[in-house]
Amino acid sequence: MVVGIPTEITPNETRVALIPATVKELVKKGFVVNIQASAGGGSFISDEEYIESGANIISTASELFASSDLVLKVNLPEMNNQEGKHEVELMKTGSAFISFIQTTKDLDEVKRLQNKKITAFSMHLVPRTTLAQKMDALSSQSNIAGYKAVLIGASHIAKYMPLLMTAAGTIKPSKTLVIGAGVAGLQAIATAKRLGAQVSAFDVRPVVKEQVESLGAKFVEVVSDSDDGVGEGGYAKETSDEYKQKQAELLKEHIGNSDLVITTALIPGRPAPKIITKEMVDGMKGGSAIMDLASENGGNCEYTQPGKVIDHNGITIDGSFNIPGTMPIHASQVYAKNISALVMYLCPDGELKLDMDDEIVSGSLFTHNGEITNERTKEALGGVA
């Protein structure tokens, strides 16, 4: 089975789907691995390193896609202007594909894959179970995003992060508020604490309170008798209007007192909830900052401009995309481990085997033989598969 790794064409993408160490693992299992020339350049991996690991270097995208039984990418398939064709057009009919495609959002690409009868899997759909932990790329990339968001946020604010005792007097620690205590949020809390900030965290799921407090942060809690906000598989879900009102009142006070706010609230397959209103931002002090890690799905702040860093009355609002891509060496390392673990699971004997009774296989698969197999994706397409 030939595995192909094309060069990522999304602007400013530095990550790559396989690194030399994972290429070696796949070659050892009997796979042929083809890498497009310079595919690892953004992660500081040379073509020579890939060759030494057992891969073949292919000069063009069209040749790479045409020779691949399984294509591995970081991003969704896109229009390749150099080739003058969409990447799905370049794929072999009936071949397989894995990437970070959001199947309820990237509907045009899903339909292209369906029409080309591609067997396609999304890293976004890999179930969060113990067995699938090695394949959980959402968590590995979120971990990096949470860490780097604090460092970037610390450079945006007009203050020190830690408490300092100086000859010129005592400098109080900055106050950091983390909204959303998932993988990214918990890493942000830990990193902000290591920098010496005074950290608080908010999440709609009361169950994360213990984790937040174990990292030394204060848990900001909306008192509620129901399980509002607790969704399947440990994810957050949409909350009631009554809960949102209580949440808004509580957050307004904490955001107004914070120097750095980091938002990480994402609901799978949905636009990011607008947790920080314009009124809340207008109540912040000059020199403070918001790092909006949900900007890819529209952002958690009403002022966020996805993909941009803006100044609003002296408050920096950072909606930059692809924070993990600012740390490409480790981001590619963990993503490559995640995606190769999934490939090994799907192809135990070097060939793709689809056991639809297996929750990892059926959970991550969304198109096969010209049919949409994922229910949420089917609903997003209007139920027409």
Side-chain angles (χ1 to χ4, degrees):
M1 189 174 191
V2 179
V3 175
I5 312 298
T7 301
E8 297 291 330
I9 55 178
T10 301
N12 302 315
E13 183 55 81
T14 55
R15 297 170 292 177
V16 65
L18 287 184
I19 62 171
T22 52
V23 169
K24 279 182 183 177
E25 292 173 4
L26 291 176
V27 170
K28 191 175 179 181
K29 285 286 186 179
F31 293 91
V32 174
V33 181
N34 291 343
I35 310 274
Q36 188 179 343
S38 302
S43 294
F44 307 99
I45 303 168
S46 67
D47 289 348
E48 288 71 25
E49 287 176 276
Y50 279 125
I51 292 169
E52 287 171 10
S53 68
N56 306 306
I57 300 300
I58 306 298
S59 58
T60 66
S62 57
E63 188 181 351
L64 185 285
F65 281 104
S67 64
S68 300
D69 302 309
L70 170 62
V71 173
L72 307 179
K73 283 197 71 194
V74 177
N75 295 292
L76 74 166
E78 300 174 80
M79 183 65 195
N80 188 317
N81 293 324
Q82 193 170 359
E83 299 284 347
K85 289 185 177 181
H86 196 280
E87 287 181 315
V88 176
E89 288 182 63
L90 299 174
M91 294 178 194
K92 289 198 300 188
T93 300
S95 60
F97 174 76
I98 307 174
S99 86
F100 251 137
I101 182 171
Q102 291 198 56
T103 64
T104 56
K105 176 185 172 189
D106 306 317
L107 299 178
D108 180 58
E109 286 70 28
V110 169
K111 285 187 278 189
R112 285 177 183 270
L113 290 163
Q114 178 189 7
N115 293 337
K116 198 76 183 278
K117 295 188 176 180
I118 305 294
T119 298
F121 302 84
S122 171
M123 299 304 283
H124 274 280
L125 296 176
V126 173
R128 282 186 162 177
T129 61
T130 303
L131 187 59
Q133 211 164 17
K134 291 191 296 185
M135 312 161 200
D136 188 358
L138 273 180
S139 290
S140 71
Q141 300 303 297
S142 294
N143 201 7
I144 293 172
Y147 168 81
K148 194 61 182 282
V150 175
L151 302 186
I152 296 171
S155 71
H156 284 322
I157 66 174
K159 292 183 175 182
Y160 277 115
M161 288 288 271
L163 167 73
L164 290 176
M165 310 289 285
T166 76
T170 301
I171 293 173
K172 293 181 180 179
S174 293
K175 293 181 179 179
T176 296
L177 174 65
V178 178
I179 299 176
V183 174
L186 291 172
Q187 181 58 258
I189 292 166
T191 305
K193 284 297 293 182
R194 284 194 290 266
L195 287 178
Q198 186 178 320
V199 186
S200 298
F202 169 81
D203 197 290
V204 295
R205 301 162 298 166
V207 70
V208 301
K209 180 179 180 179
E210 187 178 337
Q211 292 172 284
V212 166
E213 292 177 343
S214 72
L215 292 171
K218 178 185 176 184
F219 188 62
V220 178
E221 190 171 9
V222 176
V223 179
S224 175
D225 296 328
S226 69
D227 61 351
D228 241 345
V230 182
E232 294 178 13
Y235 288 105
K237 71 172 185 180
E238 197 77 40
T239 54
S240 66
D241 290 339
E242 181 187 357
Y243 184 96
K244 285 177 183 173
Q245 181 60 38
K246 290 180 181 178
Q247 170 186 302
E249 291 168 4
L250 186 65
L251 283 179
K252 183 180 178 182
E253 177 188 349
H254 282 272
I255 289 170
N257 291 326
S258 297
D259 301 299
L260 174 60
V261 179
I262 298 171
T263 74
T264 69
L266 277 171
I267 298 171
R270 298 280 298 278
K274 298 296 182 188
I275 295 171
I276 302 180
T277 64
K278 292 180 178 179
E279 183 184 6
M280 292 176 189
V281 178
D282 292 339
M284 294 178 74
K285 301 180 289 289
S288 54
I290 296 171
M291 290 295 301
D292 195 336
L293 296 186
S295 62
E296 184 182 352
N297 284 14
N300 294 140
C301 173
E302 288 186 342
Y303 278 126
T304 295
Q305 293 184 24
K308 295 182 179 179
V309 181
I310 65 168
D311 182 293
H312 175 75
N313 296 333
I315 300 153
T316 301
I317 303 171
D318 192 330
S320 298
F321 291 154
N322 190 13
I323 297 292
T326 64
M327 290 174 55
I329 292 175
H330 280 152
S332 291
Q333 178 183 317
V334 292
Y335 182 70
K337 281 285 186 183
N338 296 142
I339 205 165
S340 62
L342 181 59
V343 171
M344 297 284 199
Y345 191 85
L346 296 172
C347 312
D349 302 313
E351 294 295 330
L352 187 64
K353 289 186 177 179
L354 296 183
D355 177 3
M356 296 309 289
D357 292 327
D358 185 301
E359 65 176 341
I360 295 176
V361 176
S362 60
S364 54
L365 180 71
F366 64 92
T367 69
H368 179 58
N369 280 342
E371 295 183 9
I372 303 296
T373 61
N374 179 267
E375 288 303 318
R376 285 186 180 177
T377 307
K378 199 179 291 185
E379 288 169 15
L381 287 166
V384 180

